[in-house]
mmCIF file of all heavy atoms in Angstrom:
data_model
loop_
_atom_site.group_PDB
_atom_site.id
_atom_site.type_symbol
_atom_site.label_atom_id
_atom_site.label_comp_id
_atom_site.label_asym_id
_atom_site.label_seq_id
_atom_site.Cartn_x
_atom_site.Cartn_y
_atom_site.Cartn_z
ATOM 1 N N SER A 7 -11.246 196.801 55.405
ATOM 2 C CA SER A 7 -11.256 195.626 56.256
ATOM 3 C C SER A 7 -12.020 195.935 57.531
ATOM 4 O O SER A 7 -11.929 197.037 58.062
ATOM 5 C CB SER A 7 -9.829 195.215 56.600
ATOM 6 O OG SER A 7 -9.852 194.130 57.510
ATOM 7 N N THR A 8 -12.755 194.953 58.005
ATOM 8 C CA THR A 8 -13.471 195.142 59.266
ATOM 9 C C THR A 8 -12.540 195.000 60.460
ATOM 10 O O THR A 8 -12.924 195.312 61.569
ATOM 11 C CB THR A 8 -14.634 194.142 59.394
ATOM 12 O OG1 THR A 8 -14.120 192.821 59.249
ATOM 13 C CG2 THR A 8 -15.694 194.415 58.347
ATOM 14 N N HIS A 9 -11.328 194.535 60.227
ATOM 15 C CA HIS A 9 -10.319 194.453 61.286
ATOM 16 C C HIS A 9 -9.065 195.165 60.810
ATOM 17 O O HIS A 9 -8.492 194.805 59.782
ATOM 18 C CB HIS A 9 -9.999 193.002 61.647
ATOM 19 C CG HIS A 9 -11.124 192.327 62.353
ATOM 20 N ND1 HIS A 9 -11.353 192.479 63.698
ATOM 21 C CD2 HIS A 9 -12.115 191.537 61.887
ATOM 22 C CE1 HIS A 9 -12.423 191.795 64.036
ATOM 23 N NE2 HIS A 9 -12.906 191.219 62.956
ATOM 24 N N ALA A 10 -8.634 196.170 61.551
ATOM 25 C CA ALA A 10 -7.486 196.991 61.157
ATOM 26 C C ALA A 10 -6.237 196.155 60.927
ATOM 27 O O ALA A 10 -5.445 196.442 60.039
ATOM 28 C CB ALA A 10 -7.217 198.055 62.217
ATOM 29 N N ARG A 11 -6.072 195.083 61.685
ATOM 30 C CA ARG A 11 -4.857 194.259 61.553
ATOM 31 C C ARG A 11 -4.707 193.665 60.154
ATOM 32 O O ARG A 11 -3.607 193.385 59.711
ATOM 33 C CB ARG A 11 -4.833 193.155 62.609
ATOM 34 C CG ARG A 11 -5.861 192.076 62.370
ATOM 35 C CD ARG A 11 -5.759 190.953 63.412
ATOM 36 N NE ARG A 11 -6.803 189.979 63.171
ATOM 37 C CZ ARG A 11 -8.029 190.036 63.674
ATOM 38 N NH1 ARG A 11 -8.359 191.031 64.474
ATOM 39 N NH2 ARG A 11 -8.918 189.111 63.389
ATOM 40 N N PRO A 69 -8.902 203.215 62.294
ATOM 41 C CA PRO A 69 -10.179 202.941 62.960
ATOM 42 C C PRO A 69 -10.802 204.155 63.652
ATOM 43 O O PRO A 69 -11.989 204.167 63.923
ATOM 44 C CB PRO A 69 -9.820 201.864 63.990
ATOM 45 C CG PRO A 69 -8.642 201.190 63.416
ATOM 46 C CD PRO A 69 -7.857 202.278 62.729
ATOM 47 N N ALA A 83 -3.249 201.294 65.883
ATOM 48 C CA ALA A 83 -4.670 201.090 66.156
ATOM 49 C C ALA A 83 -4.998 199.598 66.210
ATOM 50 O O ALA A 83 -5.798 199.162 67.037
ATOM 51 C CB ALA A 83 -5.514 201.786 65.089
ATOM 52 N N ASP A 86 -4.466 197.994 69.531
ATOM 53 C CA ASP A 86 -5.374 198.402 70.604
ATOM 54 C C ASP A 86 -6.677 197.614 70.449
ATOM 55 O O ASP A 86 -7.425 197.830 69.494
ATOM 56 C CB ASP A 86 -5.629 199.905 70.508
ATOM 57 C CG ASP A 86 -6.489 200.448 71.643
ATOM 58 O OD1 ASP A 86 -7.323 199.692 72.195
ATOM 59 O OD2 ASP A 86 -6.337 201.640 71.959
ATOM 60 N N PHE A 87 -6.953 196.720 71.376
ATOM 61 C CA PHE A 87 -8.121 195.848 71.259
ATOM 62 C C PHE A 87 -9.435 196.625 71.186
ATOM 63 O O PHE A 87 -10.422 196.128 70.662
ATOM 64 C CB PHE A 87 -8.165 194.835 72.412
ATOM 65 C CG PHE A 87 -8.574 195.423 73.730
ATOM 66 C CD1 PHE A 87 -9.901 195.410 74.133
ATOM 67 C CD2 PHE A 87 -7.631 195.994 74.577
ATOM 68 C CE1 PHE A 87 -10.282 195.957 75.349
ATOM 69 C CE2 PHE A 87 -8.003 196.542 75.792
ATOM 70 C CZ PHE A 87 -9.331 196.521 76.185
ATOM 71 N N ARG A 88 -9.449 197.880 71.675
ATOM 72 C CA ARG A 88 -10.673 198.679 71.601
ATOM 73 C C ARG A 88 -10.898 199.240 70.203
ATOM 74 O O ARG A 88 -12.031 199.457 69.792
ATOM 75 C CB ARG A 88 -10.610 199.832 72.601
ATOM 76 C CG ARG A 88 -10.525 199.375 74.057
ATOM 77 C CD ARG A 88 -10.168 200.525 74.958
ATOM 78 N NE ARG A 88 -8.862 201.030 74.556
ATOM 79 C CZ ARG A 88 -8.378 202.212 74.880
ATOM 80 N NH1 ARG A 88 -9.091 203.043 75.599
ATOM 81 N NH2 ARG A 88 -7.184 202.582 74.491
ATOM 82 N N LEU A 89 -9.809 199.507 69.460
ATOM 83 C CA LEU A 89 -9.914 200.120 68.133
ATOM 84 C C LEU A 89 -9.892 199.108 66.995
ATOM 85 O O LEU A 89 -10.548 199.310 65.972
ATOM 86 C CB LEU A 89 -8.757 201.108 67.930
ATOM 87 C CG LEU A 89 -8.723 202.325 68.837
ATOM 88 C CD1 LEU A 89 -7.471 203.141 68.564
ATOM 89 C CD2 LEU A 89 -9.969 203.166 68.649
ATOM 90 N N GLU A 90 -9.132 198.060 67.140
ATOM 91 C CA GLU A 90 -8.867 197.113 66.057
ATOM 92 C C GLU A 90 -10.136 196.624 65.346
ATOM 93 O O GLU A 90 -10.186 196.580 64.128
ATOM 94 C CB GLU A 90 -8.044 195.930 66.595
ATOM 95 C CG GLU A 90 -7.441 195.068 65.519
ATOM 96 C CD GLU A 90 -8.409 194.057 64.951
ATOM 97 O OE1 GLU A 90 -9.332 193.627 65.671
ATOM 98 O OE2 GLU A 90 -8.265 193.709 63.765
ATOM 99 N N PRO A 91 -11.229 196.311 66.065
ATOM 100 C CA PRO A 91 -12.416 195.800 65.372
ATOM 101 C C PRO A 91 -13.160 196.828 64.520
ATOM 102 O O PRO A 91 -14.088 196.467 63.806
ATOM 103 C CB PRO A 91 -13.328 195.305 66.502
ATOM 104 C CG PRO A 91 -12.533 195.319 67.738
ATOM 105 C CD PRO A 91 -11.371 196.223 67.512
ATOM 106 N N PHE A 92 -12.757 198.112 64.584
ATOM 107 C CA PHE A 92 -13.445 199.119 63.790
ATOM 108 C C PHE A 92 -12.903 199.220 62.372
ATOM 109 O O PHE A 92 -13.376 200.009 61.575
ATOM 110 C CB PHE A 92 -13.398 200.478 64.498
ATOM 111 C CG PHE A 92 -14.246 200.503 65.718
ATOM 112 C CD1 PHE A 92 -13.680 200.313 66.960
ATOM 113 C CD2 PHE A 92 -15.615 200.650 65.624
ATOM 114 C CE1 PHE A 92 -14.464 200.301 68.100
ATOM 115 C CE2 PHE A 92 -16.415 200.635 66.752
ATOM 116 C CZ PHE A 92 -15.831 200.453 68.000
ATOM 117 N N GLY A 93 -11.912 198.413 62.065
ATOM 118 C CA GLY A 93 -11.437 198.317 60.699
ATOM 119 C C GLY A 93 -10.581 199.478 60.241
ATOM 120 O O GLY A 93 -10.274 200.393 60.996
#
Side-chain angles (χ1 to χ4, degrees):
S7 176
T8 56
H9 290 279
R11 70 177 177 272
D86 184 332
F87 74 93
R88 297 168 299 162
L89 295 176
E90 194 278 331
F92 290 98

